[in-house]
């Protein structure tokens, strides 16, 4: 069975100009000599080397065909979520990246789905924007950072946003972004993606679970990148705390492990044994393939990696295809 890859990022080749000098120092633009490759700049500082896999659908399809990936679910490079800008300025960038994703889907509707960006630093503005995600851009949902300028995703200020996402049937994919713990640590910045990303994603999942978000919005489909980070390894400890504290003071009606089984997680843990644990024990039927394409630490040769796992045929099929369909709430024809 081919793969639906739910963890795939997009960055436009062209960006709108900075709306003012005040934000120009953190505004993205591409520095390059051709459309084949370049460097994403934030103001005058290099952020990340990129090549045309980030914006060229035809180039991307070559890799998909090579890797037996039938469908990619496109989402913004997390740095483009832009929570540190004013809501009005962030909308300019959200519009640009969402239009890029919509354009790629329109060119190849059988091969791509999309998750867009919203200005969640202003929950009311993000809630209003959700209708544009669905009706104007034709996307399946949104990508959120693991924290919003330090605020955890279980915060009550996001309640109306989750209610609207549930009502519109939009999926939510949570990706690590500017980890809270990394700001207080004295480790080099290069360590952030390898150490603090999975910690922050686990904090995000725990915040959603322990604040009862899925109790109030049972139809909400929410997924976490990097296999939920460390969340699977602390599920037993969370359950112990739930029993010892009367459901964390009544905040959780069910054990945390039961709530985790209602969430979705991607396969991007880069460890076959831990991935098998997620598939069998943490969230059966809710782990989908995710590679982190097209970045250097992405899962290589995902079809081979998954097919070699010591899992049943049903578990492999779920990991490759069916869990992604459940997350997107869509039956996707296999070509």
């Amino acid at each position: 069975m081919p793969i639906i890859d739910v963890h795939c990022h997009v960055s436009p080749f062209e960006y709108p100009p900075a709306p003012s000098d005040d934000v120009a120092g953190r505004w993205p633009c591409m520095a390059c000599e051709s459309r084949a490759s370049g460097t994403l700049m934030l103001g005058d500082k290099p952020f990340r080397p990129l090549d045309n896999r980030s914006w060229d659908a035809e180039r991307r399809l070559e890799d998909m065909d090579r890797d037996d990936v039938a469908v990619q679910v496109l989402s913004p490079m997390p740095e483009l979520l832009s929570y540190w800008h004013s809501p009005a300025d962030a909308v300019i960038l959200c519009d640009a990246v969402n239009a890029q994703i919509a354009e790629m889907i329109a060119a190849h509707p059988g091969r791509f789905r999309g998750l867009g960006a919203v200005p969640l630093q202003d929950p009311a503005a993000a809630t209003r924007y959700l209708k544009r995600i669905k009706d104007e851009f034709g996307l399946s949902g949104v990508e959120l950072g693991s924290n919003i300028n330090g605020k955890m995703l279980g915060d009550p200020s996001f309640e109306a946003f989750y209610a609207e996402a549930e009502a519109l049937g939009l999926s939510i994919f949570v990706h690590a972004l500017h980890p809270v713990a990394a700001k207080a640590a004295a480790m080099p910045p290069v360590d952030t993606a390898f150490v603090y990303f999975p910690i922050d994603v686990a904090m995000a999942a725990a915040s959603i679970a322990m604040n009862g978000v899925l109790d109030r919005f049972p139809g909400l489909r929410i997924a976490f990148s990097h296999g939920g980070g460390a969340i699977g390894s602390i599920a037993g400890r969370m359950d112990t705390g739930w029993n010892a504290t009367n459901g964390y003071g009544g905040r959780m009606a069910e054990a945390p492990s039961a709530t985790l089984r209602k969430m979705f997680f991607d396969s991007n843990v880069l460890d076959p044994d831990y991935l098998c644990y997620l598939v069998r024990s943490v969230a059966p039927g809710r782990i989908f393939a995710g590679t982190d394409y097209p970045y250097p630490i992405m899962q290589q040769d995902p079809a081979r990696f998954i097919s070699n796992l010591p899992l049943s045929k049903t578990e492999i099929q779920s990991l490759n295809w069916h869990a992604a369909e459940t997350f997107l709430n869509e039956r996707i024809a296999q070509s």
Side-chain angles (χ1 to χ4, degrees):
M1 175 180 284
I3 292 172
I4 300 175
D5 184 353
V6 184
H7 187 166
C8 307
H9 295 304
V10 165
S11 178
F13 181 75
E14 297 178 347
Y15 286 88
S20 69
D21 291 342
D22 292 339
V23 302
R26 295 194 71 178
W27 199 258
C29 66
M30 287 295 295
C32 51
E33 296 180 357
S34 72
R35 291 190 67 91
S37 63
T39 299
L40 179 69
M41 309 291 291
L42 297 179
D44 59 359
K45 296 179 181 178
F47 176 72
R48 176 176 288 169
L50 296 174
D51 60 42
N52 58 355
R53 293 174 298 172
S54 289
W55 54 79
D56 187 329
E58 303 299 332
R59 170 65 183 84
R60 182 175 289 242
L61 287 169
E62 294 175 12
D63 288 349
M64 291 170 63
D65 291 341
R66 178 199 67 199
D67 292 339
D68 203 18
V69 173
V71 177
Q72 282 189 347
V73 182
L74 310 175
S75 57
M77 173 192 288
E79 196 68 22
L80 301 178
L81 295 174
S82 304
Y83 301 138
W84 36 94
H85 291 299
S86 73
D89 290 344
V91 165
I92 296 172
L93 288 174
C94 289
D95 285 354
V97 71
N98 294 340
Q100 171 74 39
I101 294 172
E103 179 182 317
M104 294 170 75
I105 295 170
H108 301 279
R111 303 300 301 272
F112 298 123
R113 300 294 185 273
L115 304 168
V118 295
L120 197 54
Q121 63 269 55
D122 182 339
T127 300
R128 293 191 298 271
Y129 197 103
L130 284 175
K131 286 189 177 180
R132 294 187 61 201
I133 287 286
K134 184 172 184 176
D135 297 337
E136 179 179 337
F137 298 108
L139 305 183
S140 303
V142 293
E143 177 183 63
L144 304 183
S146 49
N147 69 84
I148 313 300
N149 295 328
K151 185 179 290 186
M152 289 290 106
L153 294 180
D155 191 272
S157 63
F158 303 127
E159 292 282 289
F161 177 81
Y162 294 136
E164 181 73 351
E166 180 186 48
L168 293 173
L170 294 172
S171 305
I172 295 174
F173 181 60
V174 177
H175 194 284
L177 180 67
H178 296 185
V180 173
K183 296 177 182 178
M187 295 173 71
V190 71
D191 297 350
T192 297
F194 299 102
V195 177
Y196 294 110
F197 272 19
I199 292 173
D200 216 64
V201 172
M203 291 172 64
S207 178
I208 291 289
M210 298 175 74
N211 286 288
V213 172
L214 294 181
D215 291 334
R216 293 186 295 281
F217 308 107
L220 191 67
R221 301 187 306 278
I222 186 165
F224 296 85
S225 67
H226 310 110
I231 196 70
S233 67
I234 62 173
R237 189 175 183 87
M238 291 171 68
D239 278 0
T240 299
W242 183 80
N243 285 309
T245 61
N246 190 29
Y248 293 106
R251 283 182 290 143
M252 295 190 72
E254 61 184 0
S257 59
T259 299
L260 296 184
R261 287 172 179 255
K262 298 175 181 178
M263 298 176 174
F264 295 84
F265 305 93
D266 76 10
S267 65
N268 189 239
V269 298
L270 306 174
D271 181 330
D273 293 333
Y274 189 68
L275 179 54
C276 289
Y277 166 68
L278 292 176
V279 168
R280 290 172 171 163
S281 301
V282 175
R286 289 180 174 247
I287 312 296
F288 49 64
T291 64
D292 211 355
Y293 180 97
Y295 301 141
I297 60 171
M298 68 182 177
Q299 174 66 60
Q300 302 289 336
D301 199 354
R304 180 184 296 273
F305 176 75
I306 291 173
S307 66
N308 285 338
L309 295 172
L311 297 171
S312 70
K313 179 180 179 180
T314 298
E315 290 166 333
I316 294 288
Q317 289 175 337
S318 178
L319 187 54
N320 278 349
W321 197 274
H322 298 315
E325 286 187 322
T326 303
F327 171 62
L328 297 170
N329 194 33
E330 178 186 359
R331 294 299 175 206
I332 300 175
Q334 297 181 41
S335 58

